[in-house]
Amino acid sequence: METVNIKINNIPMTVKKGLTILEAAREAKIEIPTLCYLKEINEIGACRICVVEVKGAKSLVASCVYPVADGMEIFTHTQKVLDARKINLELLLSNHHQDCLACVRNNNCELQKLCLELGVTNSQEFKGEKQNFEIDNSAKHMYRDNNKCILCRRCVAVCSKNQDVSVIGCNDRGFKTHVGCAFEKGLGDTACVSCGQCIVACPTGALSEKDHTDKVWEAISDETKHVIVQPAPSVRVTLGEEFGLPIGTDVTGKLAAVLRRLGFDKVYDTDFAADLTIVEEANELIERIKTGGVLPMITSCSPGWINYMEHFFPEFIPNVSTCKSPQQMFGAIAKTWYAEKNNIDPKDIVVVSVMPCTAKKYEVDREYQNAAGENIPDVDISITTRELARMIKKARISFESLPDEEFDKSLGISTGAATIFGATGGVMEAALRTAVETLTNNKLDKIDFEEVRGLKDIKKASYKIDNLEIRVAVASGLANARKLLELVKSGEEKFNFIEIMACPGGCINGGGQPIQPASVRNFTDIRQKRLDALYNQDKNTKIRRSHENPAVVKIYQEYLEKPGSHKAHEILHTKYKEKSPF
Amino acid sequence: MAILFQGTKQQELELKEVIEKHKDQRGALMPVLQKAQEIYGYLPIEVQKMIATGLKIPLEEIYGVATFYSLFSLNPKGKYRISVCLGTACYVKGSGDIFDAISQKLGIKNGECTPDGKFSLEACRCIGACGLAPVMTINDDVHGRLTVNDIDKILSQY
């Protein structure tokens, strides 16, 4: 390793060549503040909060993009540096709507935290013209309040680099510069895929999910309604972060306990529906292989991916599994089988989902997602992990000290295969466990498909099943999905089965998950920690094959007959439509 | 106010040729936008979408560039192009008020065009007729020593 000798605040040290000053300072246990910097995604040195003094340099330098050099002497907190940071912050604040008390990011705002540290109060130092933007409410899943935007461009960078969607960017120039869509259309009138990656990248309250917790409170307090809840797999390994627990803490037991205490009539689990999805989807794959159907088959659980496909790759519509996502399968079963069995009018059932995802808010309103009949949506309200945390805090339930409880029976029973749905490669692995055993009629000794695990952009593997070779690929993050789809389109590579999740790393890094500041994201792969927790849970679960989920087996026996039956198609499958790429 | 796009097949073919010529070149967007504006006179959404598809550049990125440079216009020019000089001499003589009065009368802002395509309005810098300040031009006609009260009469000549 090539190294350089530098001094930080007069203390000599040796660091790897090529590091930025920001990274080198971190090794010296100094955390230089940043706002616009997101490692490998947004390295533009625009906000000038991370400035430091370098001996001999003409002016202060932006440490986030300035590489260290041999003999460099760096000073990270001289008066000059602190004054410059303060002025830069005051300038940002001079055009920032400071309604912090009512702001969704109060106490979790990177701008607010810096102001506190640098002693910037609501200063009138730079009194002058203020922008006054209308809030963009046009999208189903989120809003944009440009009055709180600091033009760091982190949202723009994730939308284009990670997600290849590029519906937001900087319009106009100078004081009028603002983040928006082409021709100032509302986000809801563009090809936005609703993934919400921009929200988790935003340092302030400029971007946020639409809060639907009021609807949930209303349903819970309505005695004529039977309100049931289903949290997604990944929520159980991220919710703890909202209550100060370390990233990657598995809080499954507390999650069941807190949902019960919030007042839901039944506390079920999307994991159950994930198992159901796998049985149905594995069957679809086997059918396509056996009957010469359209291949590769591509998974359909990620609604961000479905939106992306409809807007940008509609030619793949025949390839995408027609299976509804687990969220929707849960709702469909709840309002048909469960309603009949318990003699409840499906119109009186309110299905609430807790999701790592903002695209799920879009998905609940999609067409062909109403198994129990017209005007009876499979799922009524979809809230994010963050919104659930807000509800718990409002109810003043001390989450950390709750006992571990179980989900309610039948629709709360699940397997290890369902748990890993929350991570990239998880759906693939769960499907392989079921598909391989169904095809060979043999129980596998080893059901860990290591090749499809992990955070690599695109994972490829090949499995021999009897005399059949199955080639699979997994991509997460839509920019990676594009690369993979281009390979398929050009005929360069052939696969039988592809898993795509919209968010990089899968649902554990979804747009509805707890927001970790850049200071954490830049130096810790939060995805790995959350993902490890899911695989750990799978490893320690007794039943690890979806087709062995007793509740799923029972529903097929009692109601759906068999995977892929006519009835299963009516209730558990859906359709897609081509949409405009603009 | 949106003005109906009236691009012809001929213009479209011309633009496609330009895109074809530049599409594999780095930094193709600027020359293509310039040519597109030459062909159409402005850069409406229909034109920007053709460029987005042809160059495989997101529409928002194109719009961002088109709104960054004042050279590019999102609105067509009217049959009569009104330019009000906001240079120093005209400005101190009250051309700001003239500009506002025209803007209000026609219901259009700087850079826009009336829905009937008759008038477009823009601010310009010194046109070298400071002796006549405040001054404006309508196409090639120069109108000087203006007062707000002259506006109606002048516009009615067109």
Side-chain angles (χ1 to χ4, degrees), chain A residues 421-495:
Chain A
F421 251 67
T424 169
V427 176
M428 173 60 69
E429 179 165 349
L432 286 172
R433 289 178 190 174
T434 293
V436 173
E437 292 200 350
T438 312
L439 270 172
T440 56
N441 230 340
N442 236 337
K443 211 162 157 127
L444 289 168
D445 297 330
K446 181 176 167 291
I447 56 167
D448 293 336
F449 291 80
E450 308 273 357
E451 302 78 6
V452 295
R453 293 186 184 181
L455 289 169
K456 230 175 97 186
D457 294 348
I458 296 174
K459 294 163 279 186
K460 298 172 197 167
S462 184
Y463 299 102
K464 226 167 154 65
I465 301 163
D466 289 344
N467 47 12
L468 192 73
E469 196 197 357
I470 294 196
R471 271 184 54 74
V472 303
V474 175
S476 73
L478 292 170
N480 295 325
R482 170 178 287 270
K483 280 184 223 154
L484 180 57
L485 293 177
E486 297 288 1
L487 284 180
V488 174
K489 246 170 95 169
S490 69
E492 202 171 313
E493 296 220 42
K494 283 206 169 10
F495 300 100

Side-chain angles (χ1 to χ4, degrees), chain A residues 187-208:
Chain A
L187 195 58
D189 303 320
T190 68
C192 168
V193 302
S194 312
C195 70
Q197 283 297 309
C198 53
I199 303 174
V200 285
C202 182
T204 72
L207 303 176
S208 185

